[in-house]
Amino acid sequence: MARLAGVSRATVSYVLNNTGAVRISEPTRRRVHEAARELGYVPHAAARSLRAGHSRIVLMPAPAIAPGPLYSRYLNELQWALGRLDYTVVQHGNVGLHGDEAVRAWAELRPVAVLVPGAGIGPEGVAVLKRSGARAVVTLGPEPVDGAHALLMDNERVGHRAGAHLYARGRRRIGVVVPEESGLEIFSRPRLAGVRNALRGTDGTVTELPLGYDEESAARLAERCRGLGLDAVFAYNDEYAMLLMRALQDDGVRIPEETAVIGADDLMLGRLLRPRLSTVHIDLPSGRYVADLVDRAVRNPGAAAERLTVLGATVVQREST
Amino acid sequence: MARLAGVSRATVSYVLNNTGAVRISEPTRRRVHEAARELGYVPHAAARSLRAGHSRIVLMPAPAIAPGPLYSRYLNELQWALGRLDYTVVQHGNVGLHGDEAVRAWAELRPVAVLVPGAGIGPEGVAVLKRSGARAVVTLGPEPVDGAHALLMDNERVGHRAGAHLYARGRRRIGVVVPEESGLEIFSRPRLAGVRNALRGTDGTVTELPLGYDEESAARLAERCRGLGLDAVFAYNDEYAMLLMRALQDDGVRIPEETAVIGADDLMLGRLLRPRLSTVHIDLPSGRYVADLVDRAVRNPGAAAERLTVLGATVVQREST
DNA sequence: TTGAAAGCGATACCAC
DNA sequence: GTGGTATCGCTTTCAA
């Protein structure tokens, strides 16, 4: 390539990588830089990582369905933080690939670390990734996976907080909205379980309420709520809560007097409703924090897998409960 | 590697790639497959694309700020469609990189095609990508870029539709909400311009209204609206519309009688407000369609750059206008 | 039907 | 200081 600019490729490599051990004369450096710019030279990541035996790629599977606005904000923060540590963050769009296939598709890129949200991987998957050169595998999900570091997003706790809050406010017949949309079970099931646990051993009851993300479904569910005699509902997140709350109001149900409603995720829009929507605010770990964990794991691949619970959940009471 | 399983690496390559021209004996194939599974062998994408001279990677820069829920749905559809055509979709998290730097970071991965949303690239950028082996560069944005195929997201039209609608409903003093959050200008500026164009030469006036995504900002703006004597507002999208509408209502403004409000993007949540929010529904091209365009461009890199306007905008009148 | 060997681009070591 | 050269994992051509 740019050795057409007068020098050998080795020299080019030295110059462009600013190798400390070897000193190149200033005129030569300039010639190389100029030639590079002129030819629009861009190093070949594949060749480099082939030679080096590893890449600086941190791979994340792109989620099949956006879990909510929270996630994309979080993702950007994380990308920024990893970028500062000189990693290249890459989201792999493996829609339609499952389990093993997906893992192999990720492994082909030989990422130095893999960040898996949800439940997209098992112990064998982790092993495949590690054998293929990944120095760190980090899961972000409800439970740890053997061999991988775990950031435990304890959604069970979210449900527990909501359940305890409603019970403390005197509610006994509690419904829990679970999205019908598939791909959200990883989050919604633990939230439901959390409510159940909060009410276990009390006189409260918990009813699962499937809800599709559309108005007809909400109208049907509102009607069903009436029949069930519920006095409170915890919805998967604020969007589903808004949907149901509207339908209940249209049915003449007074909120919170007859039925209390609480959501989760603390979206801006929940504050706009009347009554203002109570919610469970979720604290995700900062991007910095996760980025540092990844970096530590990469530098020290032998270390024991860390397991950290990283999801703070606090009830924000507004007017709907 | 798996040649420890009895055969040469060439044979392995044949078997795993199902090469048609060479036939391998069935027992050998089995031995190779078994060994591969046992060793957890995964081909090395870098080595392959180094040798082949090209990859199957379609690269998209990950947007710094999610333009809305519409986008993630669209992205998934696109990823799925490209996956079916055997491309590997990769979102490059280049937060903090600008212009040229970002383009070079993308080029390092030697993608076969690059899909750039927004205004993230200029003609020189396209040239760099092409020199580095990209067989297709496609922009999704307001205006075409030399050398690249363009899917013209004509946000000007969105604003135009909204402006024309409001004017037709008898409104004359029209405010246009523009997000204060940076990164959204690519979408918001053309929408504002569209309203201006729709009202050019009439007795209507257009006022730009900056709005941050929070309640205090909305309250301030609501007050300002009163002073300006506006009788209609077109908001950047439904979320900003909801925010402002709530603030106006809290100020005692009757909607739509005193002030009409219309948003854009046709989000589910807009229907839940009272009055139901009017909106400009946006038709994005199907993932299939864009995937086919990319595939055509890759197969036939010499062809002239296609320029297609791919954004349908229709006013959905509900109760707020 | 299989094996040997060249070569993709970048790098690191070793001579000059 | 600088220029050859072997090397990474894989595909492909050529020979056997």
Side-chain angles (χ1 to χ4, degrees):
Chain A
M1 78 99 222
R3 109 204 51 149
L4 307 178
V7 297
S8 84
R9 31 186 181 182
T11 310
V12 171
S13 179
Y14 289 142
V15 173
L16 295 182
N17 292 293
N18 254 320
T19 308
V22 191
R23 252 188 293 285
I24 307 287
S25 69
E26 201 43 51
T28 307
R29 303 176 68 92
R30 249 205 312 280
R31 275 219 312 284
V32 171
H33 276 128
E34 262 174 48
R37 186 152 2 98
E38 193 168 337
L39 298 180
Y41 170 79
V42 175
H44 195 302
R48 173 181 289 165
S49 67
L50 183 56
R51 170 66 226 222
H54 61 259
S55 68
R56 291 291 289 176
I57 290 179
V58 175
L59 184 143
M60 305 185 56
I65 179 171
L70 220 55
Y71 185 80
S72 46
R73 279 219 309 283
Y74 167 69
L75 199 60
N76 283 322
E77 210 196 329
L78 178 58
Q79 287 181 345
W80 186 83
L82 283 170
R84 288 197 44 103
L85 295 172
D86 202 34
Y87 293 99
T88 299
V89 183
V90 147
Q91 284 180 259
H92 190 283
N94 44 201
V95 192
L97 269 53
H98 298 303
D100 243 32
E101 278 190 40
V103 169
R104 280 203 297 273
W106 307 338
E108 288 194 6
L109 294 180
R110 293 295 188 278
V112 68
V114 182
L115 256 155
V116 194
I121 195 172
E124 338 74 40
V126 175
V128 169
L129 287 172
K130 291 209 157 167
R131 259 202 306 272
S132 77
R135 290 164 65 91
V137 179
V138 182
T139 61
L140 295 89
E143 46 198 37
V145 176
D146 268 1
H149 300 268
L151 294 175
L152 294 171
M153 308 289 231
D154 192 4
N155 278 289
E156 195 274 346
R157 186 191 303 195
V158 175
H160 196 283
R161 287 283 152 81
H165 171 73
L166 292 173
Y167 190 84
R169 309 277 308 160
R171 309 293 170 160
R172 292 299 177 266
R173 301 188 55 78
I174 297 176
V176 176
V177 169
V178 176
E180 280 173 352
E181 283 69 26
S182 66
L184 262 28
E185 301 90 357
I186 313 115
F187 306 99
S188 65
R189 247 197 331 250
R191 289 185 182 187
L192 169 60
V195 179
R196 287 229 157 88
N197 289 340
L199 295 210
R200 195 179 310 291
T202 73
D203 56 338
T205 63
V206 175
T207 311
E208 181 175 349
L209 307 171
L211 172 59
Y213 193 60
D214 57 82
E215 283 191 289
E216 301 94 278
S217 183
R220 273 198 308 274
L221 181 55
E223 191 156 358
R224 200 179 144 213
C225 285
R226 178 179 295 264
L228 288 166
L230 301 177
D231 58 8
V233 175
F234 166 56
Y236 164 68
N237 74 5
D238 287 347
E239 296 189 325
Y240 285 85
M242 291 166 76
L243 196 54
L244 178 60
M245 190 162 98
R246 181 80 263 166
L248 286 169
Q249 288 177 319
D250 287 349
D251 247 27
V253 176
R254 281 170 307 133
I255 295 170
E257 293 80 2
E258 296 177 68
T259 305
V261 177
I262 185 168
D265 287 5
D266 196 7
L267 299 189
M268 158 67 60
L269 297 179
R271 301 182 203 190
L272 305 181
L273 303 185
R274 294 300 177 267
R276 290 166 179 267
L277 184 65
S278 294
T279 192
V280 181
H281 176 88
I282 293 176
D283 276 314
L284 290 171
S286 82
R288 266 286 315 250
Y289 179 84
V290 178
D292 284 346
L293 169 69
V294 170
D295 191 44
R296 262 202 321 277
V298 167
R299 287 181 196 285
N300 191 355
E306 299 185 44
R307 293 181 179 189
L308 300 164
T309 299
V310 289
L311 191 149
T314 347
V315 169
V316 179
Q317 192 195 346
R318 293 206 264 257
E319 299 163 358
S320 68
T321 56
Chain B
M1 77 100 222
R3 109 202 54 149
L4 307 178
V7 298
S8 83
R9 31 188 178 180
T11 310
V12 171
S13 179
Y14 288 143
V15 173
L16 295 183
N17 292 295
N18 254 320
T19 308
V22 191
R23 251 189 292 286
I24 306 287
S25 68
E26 202 43 51
T28 307
R29 303 176 68 94
R30 250 205 312 281
R31 275 218 313 285
V32 172
H33 275 127
E34 263 174 47
R37 186 151 2 98
E38 193 168 338
L39 299 178
Y41 170 79
V42 176
H44 195 304
R48 171 182 291 165
S49 69
L50 184 55
R51 171 66 226 223
H54 61 260
S55 68
R56 292 290 289 176
I57 290 178
V58 174
L59 184 144
M60 307 185 55
I65 179 171
L70 220 56
Y71 185 79
S72 46
R73 278 219 310 282
Y74 167 68
L75 200 59
N76 283 321
E77 208 196 330
L78 177 58
Q79 287 182 346
W80 186 84
L82 283 169
R84 288 197 44 104
L85 294 172
D86 201 35
Y87 293 99
T88 298
V89 182
V90 147
Q91 284 179 259
H92 191 282
N94 46 200
V95 191
L97 269 53
H98 297 303
D100 243 33
E101 279 190 40
V103 170
R104 279 203 299 273
W106 308 338
E108 289 195 6
L109 294 179
R110 294 295 190 276
V112 67
V114 182
L115 254 155
V116 194
I121 197 172
E124 339 73 40
V126 175
V128 170
L129 287 172
K130 293 209 157 168
R131 260 200 306 270
S132 76
R135 290 165 65 91
V137 179
V138 181
T139 60
L140 293 90
E143 46 198 35
V145 176
D146 268 1
H149 300 267
L151 293 175
L152 295 170
M153 309 287 232
D154 192 3
N155 278 287
E156 196 273 346
R157 185 192 303 194
V158 176
H160 196 282
R161 287 283 151 81
H165 170 73
L166 292 172
Y167 190 83
R169 310 274 310 161
R171 310 292 169 158
R172 291 299 176 266
R173 300 187 56 76
I174 296 176
V176 176
V177 169
V178 176
E180 280 173 352
E181 284 70 26
S182 64
L184 262 27
E185 302 89 357
I186 313 117
F187 306 100
S188 65
R189 249 198 329 251
R191 290 184 184 187
L192 169 59
V195 180
R196 288 228 157 88
N197 288 341
L199 296 210
R200 194 179 310 290
T202 72
D203 55 338
T205 64
V206 176
T207 312
E208 180 175 348
L209 307 171
L211 172 60
Y213 193 59
D214 57 82
E215 284 190 290
E216 302 92 278
S217 183
R220 274 199 307 275
L221 181 55
E223 191 157 358
R224 201 180 144 212
C225 284
R226 179 179 296 263
L228 288 166
L230 301 178
D231 58 9
V233 175
F234 165 56
Y236 164 66
N237 73 6
D238 287 346
E239 296 189 325
Y240 286 84
M242 290 166 77
L243 195 55
L244 179 59
M245 190 161 98
R246 179 82 263 166
L248 286 169
Q249 287 177 321
D250 287 348
D251 248 27
V253 176
R254 281 171 306 134
I255 295 171
E257 293 79 3
E258 296 178 67
T259 306
V261 177
I262 184 168
D265 287 5
D266 195 8
L267 300 188
M268 158 67 60
L269 297 178
R271 301 181 202 190
L272 305 181
L273 303 185
R274 295 297 177 268
R276 291 164 179 268
L277 184 65
S278 294
T279 192
V280 180
H281 176 89
I282 294 176
D283 276 314
L284 290 170
S286 81
R288 267 285 316 248
Y289 180 84
V290 178
D292 284 346
L293 169 68
V294 170
D295 191 44
R296 261 202 320 278
V298 166
R299 288 180 195 286
N300 190 356
E306 301 184 43
R307 293 181 179 189
L308 299 164
T309 299
V310 289
L311 192 148
T314 346
V315 169
V316 179
Q317 191 194 346
R318 292 206 265 258
E319 299 163 359
S320 68
T321 57

